[in-house]
Amino acid sequence: MKRLGEVLTLAGLTGAGLTLWLGFTWAPSVTIEAFESPEAQKIFYWHVPSAWAAMLSFSLLFIGSTMWFFKRNQWAWRLHVASSEAGLATGLMCVVSGTIWGAAEWGIPWDWTDIRLNTFAMLTLLSLFLVLGRRSQPDGIETRDTFSTFGMYGFLLVPLTYFATRIWQIRHPGPVVGTSEGSLNSDMGLVLLIGAISFTILIIGHIISGMRLAHLELRFEDLTSKYEELI
Amino acid sequence: MSGQIYLAIAYLAMISGLAIWTWTVLSRSNSLEGRIEALEQSIRHGEE
């Protein structure tokens, strides 16, 4: 399991690097008529896969939180810990790349009236709260239940974020893949697909490694207590 | 600076951030493994 997590993480990281390279050198550019800042559009090869990986992490966070809360499974708590950290990392990657693109294309990095932007930011802040909150609290049933509850209810933001641009399209672009209105060039679509697969492998590898790390941290705490009793 | 250079800097910063995060998780695991092994040895000696 140790090696699996490491291998998947490194394979995903290599794929993410390949995606950026293809996006930079091979994928066609958009025209100045369609975009204010055609060069900045290429950040999309990072932004969309990281948003996908974040949604995957938040879904796994929901599964981990629910299974801990109702079934008290130890693996579920480790999944909660690993997926909240993965959600924070991928959420931040998506928010940062989005603000870079927004600054270049819209002239402003953020729009407080856009539903998609704000619900996604709330999801990222939720994972920040879970990661920092857990580190500042002693581990125990009550602490785990509290954070699991946030992980379960916070999941409501995932479908809301997904459908936000379909219901209230304010500033964030609508879907360009898998819709009748989509007009994504096939080469662009291929690079985006490589990116989505790479980020999926990367995030699964990170979550496996993160679950193992959570297991080691708990084991270390147990052994430290045992050692202190002995001396 | 041209848009291409800005894009390359953003790309490098993002992939570096991702690599640092990966390295942090893997090195924390390896370091904890070593400390757990040392603690287990100490506990075994203490019990003997």
Side-chain angles (χ1 to χ4, degrees), chain A residues 2 6 9 13 17 20 24 39 42 46 89 93 135 202 206 212-213 216-217 219-220 223-224 227, chain B residues 3-4 7-8 11 14-15 18-19 21-22 25-26 28-30 32-33 35-36 39-40 42-43 47:
Chain A
K2 176 192 175 187
E6 287 180 7
T9 303
L13 196 58
L20 293 191
F24 195 75
E39 303 289 1
K42 290 193 171 193
W46 185 272
M93 289 193 301
R135 288 183 183 177
L202 175 74
H206 252 293
R212 187 171 162 272
L213 179 61
L216 290 173
E217 282 172 345
R219 172 107 182 105
F220 183 71
L223 285 172
T224 307
Y227 183 70
Chain B
Q4 286 271 344
L7 182 67
Y11 269 8
M14 289 185 291
I15 198 82
L18 198 49
W21 176 47
T22 304
V25 170
L26 300 183
R28 268 168 70 196
S29 286
N30 290 334
L32 266 176
E33 259 184 345
R35 291 163 76 186
I36 285 171
L39 262 177
E40 281 173 339
S42 303
I43 290 169
E47 282 171 345

Side-chain angles (χ1 to χ4, degrees), chain A residues 66-158:
Chain A
T66 310
M67 292 305 284
W68 164 258
F69 195 84
F70 292 108
K71 298 282 182 190
R72 294 283 188 261
N73 289 332
Q74 290 300 321
W75 67 262
W77 177 248
R78 294 200 292 271
L79 180 62
H80 169 101
V81 172
S83 51
S84 59
E85 290 189 2
L88 175 61
T90 48
L92 283 175
M93 289 193 301
C94 182
V95 168
V96 170
S97 57
T99 51
I100 292 171
W101 184 74
E105 182 66 23
W106 303 331
I108 50 164
W110 198 263
D111 183 346
W112 293 104
T113 63
D114 190 283
I115 308 290
R116 162 68 69 87
L117 264 56
N118 292 296
T119 54
F120 191 86
M122 283 167 72
L123 269 169
T124 307
L125 286 173
L126 169 74
S127 57
L128 177 68
F129 164 74
L130 293 176
V131 170
L132 295 181
R134 198 179 50 247
R135 288 183 183 177
S136 66
Q137 299 293 317
D139 186 35
I141 300 284
E142 293 83 1
T143 304
R144 291 184 181 194
D145 281 354
T146 305
F147 290 126
S148 295
T149 310
F150 277 100
M152 286 192 291
Y153 284 105
F155 182 74
L156 289 173
L157 287 166
V158 169

Side-chain angles (χ1 to χ4, degrees), chain A residues 13-36:
Chain A
L13 196 58
T14 308
L18 175 70
T19 306
L20 293 191
W21 176 253
L22 289 173
F24 195 75
T25 58
W26 184 72
S29 295
V30 290
T31 60
I32 190 77
E33 289 79 33
F35 284 82
E36 289 289 323

